[in-house]
Amino acid sequence: MVTDRLLARDDGARPWRDAVQEALYGPGGFYRRPEGPAGHFRTSVHASPLFASAVARLLCRVDESLGQPDELVFVDMAAGRGELVTGVLAALPSGVAARTRAYAVEIADRPLALDHRIEWLAEPPKGITGMLFANEWLDNVPVDVVEVDAAGVARLVLVRPDGSERLGEPVGGEAARWLGRWWPPGPEEGLRAEVGLPRDLAWAGAVASVARGLAVAVDYTHLAGARPPFGTLTGFREGRETAPVPDGSCDITAHVALDACALPGARLLTQRDALRALGVTGGRPPLSLATTDPTAYVRALAGAGEAAELTAPGGLGDFGWLVQPVGMPNPLAG
Ligand SMILES: C[S@@+](CC[C@H](N)C(=O)[O-])C[C@H]1O[C@@H](n2cnc3c(N)ncnc32)[C@H](O)[C@@H]1O
């Protein structure tokens, strides 16, 4: 049967989006493995507990803005092994924590040792009052890749199970319309683009689960006018960047066009600015503390180092925060 998706020929080549969907989330897929994402790369959540503390402070701002509801929901969207939601619960003031209903939304199975207060779901709960926070989710929502051929035509890139590629049909329909609006790949042979439409739709679905409150997506990002000309598709395995091979052996990720995901009323800022607004600063403690309280000095120095990593130019600090209020003012208004 012929469909509008390209069919695998004898060589097993198919569009990147289909290949990555199976490689990451299919039976035996990369994200179903027991070691979880932390076994292969460090997100801000793993880099420092300062990150979860900052998210907890943001949740407190949302709580205030919503008039301290009897039940304040926190959703850790694409939760990995639930590290962020665990850290947020630990960092909340006890009065707020007592009113907080915490969810982890994840394709992988619930970890055995997870705090019993955290509910583990495959989809976000509907109609929440509170905050949904998605750290490094959208970069793992599979996308199609297009490449311009010798005649200047943008074609779907097909990938074989070993990672080798060939070009398929010219891109058309809503994918072509998305590219025209957000990421025209340019006329020269070899230029590439990634069709972010599935991410826009995934994000809109997550935001729709919030009745009142805030939705935040944090990810590697690029913006219109400065898209990478050859795309960003890459792999990660055991802490190292690697060729993206869709065989379930590695993470496969591509930076996110967060400006395309944004819904009306959203604000886009860097992680550096967002964390500074939430009180995470990389300042060193005064040297005098080293003599008056050496333990506090060492602790403060470690904290300063972690804050510096979370806000570093050229690193985590350049991540984008897409902050989407629903029925409340933006708590990170600039
Ligand atoms: C890069 S990891 C990030 C984990 C965690 N948020 C962190 O920052 O450490 C991406 C996670 O998203 C999960 N994921 C991807 N799509 C999902 C979906 N539609 N629903 C729930 N989880 C999803 C994957 O299984 C994986 O655990």
Side-chain angles (χ1 to χ4, degrees):
M1 190 180 85
V2 176
T3 68
D4 61 346
R5 303 290 296 169
L6 285 171
L7 288 179
R9 282 196 211 150
D10 290 337
D11 64 356
R14 50 193 178 145
W16 267 106
R17 185 178 164 201
D18 298 356
V20 173
Q21 181 66 36
E22 188 179 331
L24 297 187
Y25 308 118
F30 177 79
Y31 277 121
R32 305 222 178 246
R33 291 156 72 131
E35 68 271 23
H40 295 270
F41 49 84
R42 246 158 89 90
T43 67
S44 296
V45 179
H46 315 129
S48 168
L50 293 176
F51 188 77
S53 299
V55 174
R57 285 195 289 282
L58 182 58
L59 181 59
C60 289
R61 289 191 188 183
V62 172
D63 183 46
E64 287 287 325
S65 195
L66 295 175
Q68 302 183 328
D70 293 342
E71 183 181 271
L72 176 71
V73 169
F74 177 71
V75 178
D76 182 357
M77 180 66 208
R81 294 300 175 267
E83 297 97 329
L84 177 62
V85 61
T86 302
V88 167
L89 279 179
L92 282 175
S94 56
V96 182
R99 286 186 290 110
T100 298
R101 186 156 179 189
Y103 294 93
V105 177
E106 188 33 74
I107 286 175
D109 292 339
R110 179 187 180 99
L112 290 175
L114 194 73
D115 185 327
H116 68 277
R117 292 174 296 172
I118 301 167
E119 295 173 56
W120 193 265
L121 301 177
E123 299 275 340
K126 300 270 179 273
I128 70 166
T129 298
M131 180 162 83
L132 176 145
F133 199 98
N135 192 63
E136 291 203 34
W137 168 39
L138 294 173
D139 67 290
N140 283 132
V141 173
V143 289
D144 275 327
V145 179
V146 303
E147 183 175 316
V148 176
D149 70 9
V153 176
R155 292 178 175 273
L156 213 48
V157 179
L158 309 184
V159 59
R160 302 181 187 90
D162 65 0
S164 61
E165 297 177 335
R166 65 178 169 83
L167 296 189
E169 296 295 310
V171 66
E174 54 183 11
R177 281 192 290 280
W178 188 94
L179 289 167
R181 165 74 180 84
W182 292 108
W183 192 345
E188 288 98 30
E189 182 178 8
L191 293 179
R192 285 188 167 216
E194 291 141 7
V195 185
L197 181 61
R199 287 146 175 205
D200 299 6
L201 298 175
W203 181 239
V207 172
S209 73
V210 180
R212 233 160 48 92
L214 195 69
V216 183
V218 178
D219 238 305
Y220 309 82
T221 188
H222 43 62
L223 301 177
R227 307 274 187 224
F230 301 102
T232 59
L233 192 79
T234 190
F236 281 94
R237 184 190 300 120
E238 293 166 4
R240 292 222 175 79
E241 192 160 359
T242 174
V245 179
D247 62 0
S249 70
C250 61
D251 182 28
I252 299 179
T253 166
H255 295 198
V256 182
L258 278 177
D259 49 349
C261 297
L263 297 164
R267 177 162 186 236
L268 200 49
L269 63 170
T270 63
Q271 170 147 306
R272 188 165 35 258
D273 290 344
L275 289 184
R276 286 201 178 133
L278 292 167
V280 178
T281 54
R284 292 170 67 94
L287 209 51
S288 56
L289 190 64
T291 34
T292 53
D293 187 345
T295 313
Y297 178 77
V298 170
R299 203 180 316 119
L301 204 56
E306 291 171 10
E309 181 181 355
L310 290 173
T311 56
L316 293 172
D318 291 343
F319 271 42
W321 279 46
L322 176 58
V323 181
Q324 185 80 54
V326 181
M328 62 167 272
N330 194 327
L332 286 177

